[in-house]
Amino acid sequence: MLKVIFSLILLTLTASFGCKAITQQTPRIADKAPLTKSIETEPLSVAALEEESNKLPESLKLASNSFVQADEAAKAPIDALVISRRTLLGLKDNPALKDKLRNIVAQGKILMIYNVTNLEMEQGLGIKLPVRSETQQDVLFSGVTKLANGQHFGSAILSPLKEIEGAIEPSNLARTVRNEIYAIREQVRKENRANSKRGS
């Protein structure tokens, strides 16, 4: 009985966060856990840009293990880099940083950007996603990385409905971001394996 109740609660939360809207339009990623849970089962290294350490939302600081300079991020031993909306929108006036961020993605690392849509991410970085999430709901994060076959792989986290109290409390949001990064990393491994088998 408890298992059934837990399943119903989990299903309700997943639907409330709009995950169905995302998974219908983008390559499927692992189902997201509720914001108060964690799905990480392996070490995950997430960094933020040292250049914006004083301007980051608290949730991004909490999601990160460390800070890294933009010049070093592509070669740093990290799985993902989180950046702010301000940094993405400023890339039109900073082509050098734009190239560095594109290089991070080209190395197969995951770039997670706060409060932008997939379209804004595409325009800011000058990339193209094979499938893009289109939604009328606010987006908390968009993420992107590159598959071994050269295609970009994107994802998004929809903003929770306002009636869910505490959903965007910084520590809960940070956990959700890390869950999403972990899920993308796992899905990319599967996609790369599948593409490798098709190619052989």
Side-chain angles (χ1 to χ4, degrees):
M1 184 67 178
L2 284 174
K3 193 172 184 181
V4 172
I5 293 171
F6 178 78
S7 296
L8 288 172
I9 292 170
L10 182 61
L11 186 63
T12 303
L13 281 172
T14 303
S16 298
F17 284 101
C19 292
K20 285 186 179 177
I22 291 298
T23 54
Q24 288 170 356
Q25 299 169 44
T26 59
R28 182 169 173 76
I29 62 169
D31 291 334
K32 298 171 187 57
L35 287 172
T36 54
K37 303 290 182 183
S38 178
I39 62 169
E40 291 178 46
T41 58
E42 297 175 21
L44 187 67
S45 179
V46 180
L49 281 179
E50 195 169 298
E51 290 87 338
E52 61 173 354
S53 59
N54 295 324
K55 300 176 281 188
L56 282 179
E58 185 65 20
S59 57
L60 287 190
K61 291 179 183 177
L62 291 171
S64 308
N65 304 107
S66 61
F67 288 95
V68 63
Q69 292 185 348
D71 289 335
E72 302 167 358
K75 294 183 179 179
I78 60 173
D79 298 300
L81 180 74
V82 292
I83 66 171
S84 67
R85 176 182 178 84
R86 178 190 297 184
T87 294
L88 178 80
L89 297 182
L91 295 181
K92 63 182 182 297
D93 301 318
N94 192 342
L97 180 56
K98 180 177 179 177
D99 286 343
K100 290 168 188 171
L101 294 178
R102 286 169 55 97
N103 191 30
I104 291 165
V105 173
Q107 297 300 316
K109 299 181 193 301
I110 299 163
L111 184 65
M112 292 293 286
I113 308 168
Y114 182 65
N115 193 27
V116 299
T117 65
N118 281 176
L119 177 59
E120 290 172 318
M121 180 177 66
E122 282 184 315
Q123 293 170 339
L125 293 171
I127 61 170
K128 186 70 178 169
L129 293 174
V131 183
R132 184 198 310 144
S133 299
E134 300 287 358
T135 177
Q136 299 303 310
Q137 194 173 338
D138 290 339
V139 175
L140 283 176
F141 276 88
S142 281
V144 65
T145 189
K146 210 167 193 179
L147 300 175
N149 66 5
Q151 278 196 327
H152 287 97
F153 180 90
S155 177
I157 303 175
L158 295 182
S159 180
L161 302 176
K162 289 182 170 44
E163 56 265 29
I164 302 176
E165 285 188 32
I168 52 176
E169 192 270 329
S171 62
N172 288 341
L173 181 52
R175 194 172 298 116
T176 298
V177 170
R178 290 183 64 87
N179 286 344
E180 181 76 349
I181 291 169
Y182 181 83
I184 292 171
R185 186 178 72 172
E186 294 303 296
Q187 185 61 27
V188 165
R189 287 175 180 171
K190 291 177 186 174
E191 294 280 339
N192 284 338
R193 281 196 298 267
N195 290 336
S196 178
K197 286 179 182 176
R198 283 194 289 268
S200 59

